[in-house]
Amino acid sequence: RQWLKLAKQLRVVSLAGQRRIDEAERLVESLEAAGPDELLSLLDGLTTVAARSDTGTQRLVAELQLRASQGLVDSMSKLTDVQSLRLMRARAEAFAATGQPTKAVAVYQQLVEKSPRDTKLLRTAAELSESLDSKEATQQAKLYWRRLEGLFKGAMLRTNRWGMHDKEYALEPPPDCYRIAMIGASISMGTGVEREKTLEALLEDRLNRESGA
């Protein structure tokens, strides 16, 4: 069933990439007629599947995701708790992908309240809150980061979205950027050291300075 879900998501992304939006919408409508579980199976994680596409396609997919999910929002009282959470997650991702961080943060705040130990939700909510230009959002971001942070051998251990003891990076490097991976034991990882002061971080800073980056 998982491969079937992915196949449908890839089909929607492919149609959006070809700008065949009408066909993509008809596919979504066919699932909507089959019931909320079928539609949510497509919408939940759709923006993640589209993440490797160009920016225009990502936005088209997210806009389609919002339009398709609106009917479920209007009938949310009929959804189960699990279905409601999946719907909220799908809309939060779509709001973020369409450049609506304020709306995305509002939904992520609700999700965090319902799943306070979900580190992925906390990290996403913190990052989006930081992107908002307001004192209140900044304070909220700090609260999220505090939940994620934990003391490990005398220092705050903070990992990025890829599980690395490092700052955030996009999956794909920008042009003229070289990636260097350091592999080793606790010394290489920087156990007991703030991530800005690890060997890897200091080496990266030095190389960037010397190369004029």
Side-chain angles (χ1 to χ4, degrees):
R1 186 171 178 80
Q2 189 66 25
W3 68 265
L4 182 60
K5 168 187 173 178
L6 180 59
K8 291 176 180 177
Q9 290 176 327
L10 288 172
R11 177 61 175 162
V12 170
V13 174
S14 175
L15 291 171
Q18 299 172 62
R19 303 306 186 257
R20 294 157 62 185
I21 303 302
D22 290 344
E23 292 181 54
E25 288 187 332
R26 284 197 293 272
L27 174 59
V28 173
E29 287 170 1
S30 68
L31 295 174
E32 186 176 1
D37 281 329
E38 287 297 320
L39 181 57
L40 287 169
S41 178
L42 174 75
L43 300 180
D44 189 10
L46 183 58
T47 51
T48 302
V49 174
R52 289 182 175 272
S53 305
D54 61 272
T55 304
T57 297
Q58 291 180 43
R59 189 177 184 90
L60 286 172
V61 169
E63 289 173 348
L64 175 61
Q65 194 172 4
L66 287 173
R67 290 196 299 274
S69 63
Q70 187 58 52
L72 293 176
V73 173
D74 295 338
S75 59
M76 186 173 283
S77 61
K78 299 179 182 179
L79 301 179
T80 66
D81 289 342
V82 173
Q83 289 172 336
S84 295
L85 287 174
R86 294 180 70 189
L87 173 60
M88 291 168 66
R89 189 187 293 265
R91 286 181 66 80
E93 293 173 353
F95 279 134
T98 52
Q100 303 180 73
T102 302
K103 291 184 177 180
V105 166
V107 180
Y108 273 116
Q109 285 177 344
Q110 298 177 54
L111 286 168
V112 168
E113 290 176 2
K114 295 178 180 295
S115 304
R117 296 184 180 180
D118 190 320
T119 56
K120 185 177 180 179
L121 282 177
L122 282 167
R123 180 174 289 109
T124 303
E127 292 169 351
L128 283 172
S129 296
E130 284 183 334
S131 72
L132 300 180
D133 187 18
S134 74
K135 183 177 180 180
E136 181 182 353
T138 300
Q139 289 298 114
Q140 188 61 54
K142 289 180 179 179
L143 291 176
Y144 290 141
W145 286 125
R146 288 194 190 104
R147 292 193 195 182
L148 281 166
E149 293 174 345
L151 282 173
F152 183 60
K153 294 192 176 181
M156 301 302 293
L157 178 61
R158 293 178 293 157
T159 58
N160 60 22
R161 76 186 75 179
W162 314 115
M164 299 177 179
H165 187 204
D166 203 350
K167 60 187 177 183
E168 287 294 341
Y169 294 101
L171 180 62
E172 298 294 335
D176 300 322
C177 175
Y178 294 89
R179 293 277 173 84
I180 301 174
M182 292 188 66
I183 302 174
S186 57
I187 295 176
S188 300
M189 172 197 167
T191 300
V193 179
E194 297 288 349
R195 69 181 185 186
E196 294 83 2
K197 299 179 180 179
T198 63
L199 171 62
E200 177 273 336
L202 296 175
L203 178 59
E204 178 182 354
D205 288 342
R206 179 172 177 176
L207 290 173
N208 285 334
R209 285 197 309 273
E210 292 180 351
S211 65

